[in-house]
Amino acid sequence: KAGVTQTPRYLIKTRGQQVTLSCSPISGHRSVSWYQQTPGQGLQFLFEYFSETQRNKGNFPGRFSGRQFSNSRSEMNVSTLELGDSALYLCASSFVGQGSGNTEAFFGQGTRLTVV
Amino acid sequence: AQSVTQLGSHVSVSEGALVLLRCNYSSSVPPYLFWYVQYPNQGLQLLLKYTSAATLVKGINGFEAEFKKSETSFHLTKPSAHMSDAAEYFCAVMPQYGQNFVFGPGTRLSVLP
């Protein structure tokens, strides 16, 4: 069973540009969550998508957005990049079904974004 | 809001010694609790989880954790450290089923030969 795939693994962008990151969840998983990891702030929740709908959102500015496609693949977009957006962006996929009781999340290897 | 604290941002142990990584959560209602490990330039790997079944949870690689409601703690232990255990460890809570994780700040474990 293939794991969570995030592409690209590394990105270097210039301030003011925008970037799109991709996440392919484990087959059958309908929930995809995104987290930002930085040395200063640790792991912070960005948003979660379930069946193409944003279900939860963290405390990030509107420059951070996402979407989920019918095949559960998800993308996140950051517009007008700032130096502080440099981070490891992690995607997690979960099977969250009614009564499934399954809380486990599987993480991808992340995309390392560097803004210069 | 739910919060997680991990005592000690960096813990060093000798190979073969006991590993104890501390985690406390803030909720009065027991949430779902997790320990994840992260190796350099990698994502997070689940070590173990507590979901209101047995209070002593066994995970992979010889790790286990005990849920203590009275202390709002979920400390991670391993009887004998191995060099390959050197990594960063994150405690996380899921306040309610299906909600997002709230992570602790992490503890970097070093294993000395």
Side-chain angles (χ1 to χ4, degrees):
Chain A
K1 194 172 183 180
V4 180
T5 303
Q6 290 190 245
T7 57
R9 285 293 310 277
Y10 301 92
L11 265 179
I12 299 176
K13 290 287 188 179
T14 304
R15 270 184 305 173
Q17 288 186 313
Q18 73 166 17
V19 68
T20 300
L21 313 182
S22 178
C23 172
S24 293
I26 292 171
S27 177
H29 286 193
R30 295 190 296 164
S31 170
V32 174
S33 300
W34 290 89
Y35 292 83
Q36 181 196 63
Q37 185 178 24
T38 60
Q41 298 298 318
L43 281 152
Q44 294 186 287
F45 171 71
L46 281 155
F47 29 65
E48 184 227 356
Y49 286 86
F50 179 77
S51 293
E52 302 179 65
T53 301
Q54 187 181 87
R55 193 162 64 166
N56 292 306
K57 189 177 189 304
N59 188 26
F60 276 82
R63 300 185 297 107
F64 292 81
S65 62
R67 59 177 174 169
Q68 186 179 34
F69 302 94
S70 58
N71 61 358
S72 294
R73 189 178 71 85
S74 177
E75 289 181 345
M76 69 163 281
N77 184 276
V78 188
S79 62
T80 319
L81 284 166
E82 300 176 359
L83 295 178
D85 297 333
S86 295
L88 180 67
Y89 289 89
L90 292 166
C91 162
S93 98
S94 303
F95 176 80
V96 182
Q98 188 174 8
S100 73
N102 190 337
T103 56
E104 188 166 337
F106 296 84
F107 284 80
Q109 291 190 302
T111 294
R112 171 78 61 186
L113 172 65
T114 302
V115 182
V116 298
Chain B
Q2 186 73 253
S3 66
V4 180
T5 56
Q6 292 183 240
L7 187 62
S9 59
H10 186 202
V11 170
S12 292
V13 300
S14 298
E15 192 172 20
L18 171 72
V19 175
L20 170 60
L21 303 181
R22 299 178 187 275
C23 171
N24 288 86
Y25 62 93
S26 63
S27 175
S28 60
V29 176
Y32 299 99
L33 295 158
F34 305 79
W35 276 98
Y36 279 89
V37 61
Q38 185 178 36
Y39 298 98
N41 295 315
Q42 298 294 316
L44 303 177
Q45 180 183 9
L46 181 68
L47 280 176
L48 47 81
K49 63 180 180 180
Y50 166 78
T51 56
S52 76
T55 57
L56 183 62
V57 182
K58 294 189 183 300
I60 62 171
N61 301 338
F63 285 95
E64 62 182 38
E66 186 173 8
F67 169 68
K68 291 187 176 180
K69 182 179 177 181
S70 61
E71 298 176 8
T72 60
S73 69
F74 191 56
H75 301 331
L76 181 71
T77 60
K78 182 174 180 177
S80 176
H82 191 272
M83 297 296 288
S84 60
D85 294 328
E88 185 134 23
Y89 291 79
F90 293 93
C91 181
V93 303
M94 179 184 289
Q96 292 182 33
Y97 176 69
Q99 289 189 338
N100 56 278
F101 290 105
V102 176
F103 285 93
T107 296
R108 181 168 299 280
L109 175 67
S110 296
V111 182
L112 309 174

